Amino acid sequence: MEKEKVLEVQNLYAAYDEMVVLTDVSFSANKGEVTVILGGSGSGKTTVLNHLLGLLPIEKGTVSLLGKNVATLREVEQVDLYLQMGVFYQNGGLLNSLTVAENVALPLNQHTNLPQDLIDEIVFMKLGLVNLQHAFYLYPSQLSGGMMKRAALARAIVMDPPILFCDEPGAGLDPVSLEILDKLILNLKNKLGMSIIMVTHEVSSILRVANRIVFLDKGVVVFEGPLHEALHSTQPAVNEFFSVMKNENIRELLKG
Amino acid sequence: MRKKRARTSFSFCCQDRLQVNLDGQTMSLSGKLTMQEAAELTRHFLNHLRFIEQKTLVFDLSGLVHIDSAGVMALFYIRKKLYEKSIQSELTDAPESIADKIRLFYPEEEAGVSPPRRPAFFEYVGGQVYHFFSSYVFGFILLAANIFYWGVTDIFKPRARRKGEFVNQAVLIGVNAVVIVVFLTFVIGYVIALHSAGQLRTFGANIFVVDLVVFSILSQMGPLITAILVAGRSGSAIAAEIATMKVTAELDALKTMGLNPNRFVVVPKLYACMLTMPFLIVFANVAGIFGGGLAANVYLDITPEVFVNRMMDIMRNKELWVALVKSQVYAALIVLTGSFYGFRVERGAEGVGKVTTVAVVVSITLVIVADSLLGVIFY
């Protein structure tokens, strides 16, 4: 059965001045799945993500998110679309001048007319989901790296978005914090049916959460398919990427 | 006695998507309960709350088709409000998909059920006053004591001093400020004489312009303008430098190398500022008096010889001593305030800008307050 698609990218091209970053990128992401965009440094992952988020103008190709063509949206429609997606930035992107609670409450305050005490309750509950209730009145500068990421995740999911984008969520985290974060992400997928698009190259994290892999190399998608196919792919770049940990992790994974 | 009539039933509709019915002890919700409906549901409900006289309420959720986290929290919020009115309530008959969401989001009863409360007004004010004294006043005194301790120690232990830093800071704080200090006091001296010229001429008291200029420049304008300029130039630079060092963990690095940041960073600045400030004030005084003399010559026909002779008659050593005392007090205040705020920086890059601004404002304020106090003491 064909799964419902939340994201479809077709023939996306991008260049910074003379330097071509994406030559021809096409892929899609299914509803309720974790799609991981992979690739070495400089393969264009972040550029793809910025196009999906509407942060860079689309020159050639189409990006359709939740059935809407991102390139042709008017500003109002773009805002509506932003309300249906959560974005979890690499280094948090929390506003330094606001407390953690105010950061998380920001979308609720701006986009809904819920009473303030109810907003406080919602924020408290969301911080509870990421186990950060004690940081309610703290400022981002008072948080550790892992806490900052969890606070950013709480803010990304505060509007219950059907689609969540994560830009290198695991970067700079220790393995234990990373596992906790992955569990959170899996919970969001399993319990809320969130579709998650993730850019990462933490191999352990990919094995835990990914359903589908999109592998970028030199501005082209060289592999697109389920995780287990990616692990056995003969495509050189993909093969090389996974061979690094093949010896240790895959055996366990296959055993399990 | 008239008793408010109990309302045992009501119903309302939120955005045509959520239907709420209260009948007897059963409150049934049907339709969607998401962020949009949650806002209206809670508002309507709070409006109806005072009419509810039932002792128990049962929420029948069998008609709900969709709920999100805001919806679950709205139910929690409503039940909390009911609980505060001593009304017991329970959620029943939720379809499996709805119950799943409720299990996921609904806060555990025994765990802290509410976000920490905001402090009340007097508690807040009291807290702020306490905070002001404990961290600002006390902190400033502590820092001053520490810096003076190291300042005095360094005089007797020249080997431990940071080589070349004193000269470097003396150039930055003192020498580089000479031009602007001289220019501004010259202009001020000129303007003081110019404005008093008209008044004095009316009374035929032309010669007293010399008294006016000399006294005002020597005892007030020279030291004060110099101090304000140094506070603006160097106070901000000191605060920004120390704040940046703290943000980039340079101060931590110094500490872990066994070096006291106060001694290593602040003391050379304090020496430099205290040593160059009297010279700056001398330059300022000369320039101010020169400006006043020029204006006196142009507008009141007082020749330089007359001006100098009169000046020599009226000048007292006291003004110079007072200026010296003032220069030391101002220098210490400027360096201490700048470093105090520099050390207090919080929240990364944004904080650096903030403490720099505050440092300038506070050091200029302290300089003016100190000037008034010294003015009264040495009157």
Side-chain angles (χ1 to χ4, degrees), chain A residues 173-180 208:
Chain A
L173 284 189
D174 65 278
V176 179
S177 306
L178 185 60
E179 195 173 342
I180 294 171
R208 274 195 290 263

Side-chain angles (χ1 to χ4, degrees), chain A residues 96-97 108 112-118 120-122 124-126 129 136-137 139 141 158-160 191-192, chain B residues 35 38-39 42-43 68-70 73-74 76-77 80 101 104-105 112-118 347 350:
Chain A
N96 273 317
S97 52
L108 289 171
T112 69
N113 49 2
L114 295 168
Q116 185 59 46
D117 358 355
L118 182 52
D120 284 350
E121 299 278 7
I122 295 176
F124 197 63
M125 179 269 287
K126 295 280 179 180
L129 285 185
F136 197 82
Y137 281 133
Y139 282 92
S141 57
V158 75
M159 300 286 281
D160 287 355
K191 295 197 175 155
L192 299 179
Chain B
M35 214 162 272
T42 44
R43 199 164 323 108
D68 68 0
S69 62
M73 291 312 291
F76 170 73
Y77 178 72
K80 204 173 98 178
K101 294 276 176 68
L104 179 62
F105 292 125
V113 284
S114 285
R117 72 191 178 87
R118 284 150 211 252
R347 295 191 230 157
E350 184 206 354

Side-chain angles (χ1 to χ4, degrees), chain A residues 135-221:
Chain A
F136 197 82
Y137 281 133
L138 295 184
Y139 282 92
S141 57
Q142 295 168 296
L143 303 182
S144 72
M147 288 161 82
M148 205 136 37
K149 298 227 171 207
R150 283 184 279 148
L153 182 60
R155 188 179 67 176
I157 59 169
V158 75
M159 300 286 281
D160 287 355
I163 183 165
L164 176 70
F165 291 91
C166 305
D167 185 10
E168 308 219 10
L173 284 189
D174 65 278
V176 179
S177 306
L178 185 60
E179 195 173 342
I180 294 171
L181 193 71
D182 287 340
K183 275 188 189 148
L184 273 172
I185 288 172
L186 276 182
N187 258 339
L188 293 174
K189 182 191 82 165
N190 295 337
K191 295 197 175 155
L192 299 179
M194 236 178 234
S195 317
I196 295 161
I197 318 281
M198 189 193 273
V199 170
T200 184
H201 33 222
E202 296 287 338
V203 175
S204 55
S205 180
I206 295 166
L207 292 179
R208 274 195 290 263
V209 300
N211 296 110
R212 199 177 163 78
I213 301 284
V214 174
F215 201 101
L216 284 174
D217 189 35
K218 301 189 184 96
V220 188
V221 175

Side-chain angles (χ1 to χ4, degrees), chain B residues 135-175:
Chain B
S135 68
Y136 284 84
V137 177
F138 193 57
F140 192 86
I141 293 171
L142 264 185
L143 181 77
N146 196 295
I147 288 171
F148 280 115
Y149 169 77
W150 286 113
V152 174
T153 317
D154 264 16
I155 295 174
F156 300 108
K157 284 188 184 169
R159 269 195 63 215
R161 272 183 229 148
R162 208 171 146 192
K163 303 278 171 304
E165 181 62 11
F166 164 70
V167 177
N168 186 15
Q169 291 295 331
V171 171
L172 285 177
I173 296 175
V175 179

Side-chain angles (χ1 to χ4, degrees), chain B residues 142-213:
Chain B
L142 264 185
L143 181 77
N146 196 295
I147 288 171
F148 280 115
Y149 169 77
W150 286 113
V152 174
T153 317
D154 264 16
I155 295 174
F156 300 108
K157 284 188 184 169
R159 269 195 63 215
R161 272 183 229 148
R162 208 171 146 192
K163 303 278 171 304
E165 181 62 11
F166 164 70
V167 177
N168 186 15
Q169 291 295 331
V171 171
L172 285 177
I173 296 175
V175 179
N176 291 353
V178 169
V179 177
I180 182 87
V181 165
V182 165
F183 172 70
L184 277 188
T185 41
F186 172 81
V187 173
I188 287 174
Y190 188 91
V191 170
I192 289 176
L194 171 66
H195 280 286
S196 44
Q199 307 292 322
L200 294 170
R201 201 188 286 123
T202 321
F203 299 105
N206 291 11
I207 190 65
F208 288 109
V209 75
V210 182
D211 301 51
L212 207 145
V213 166

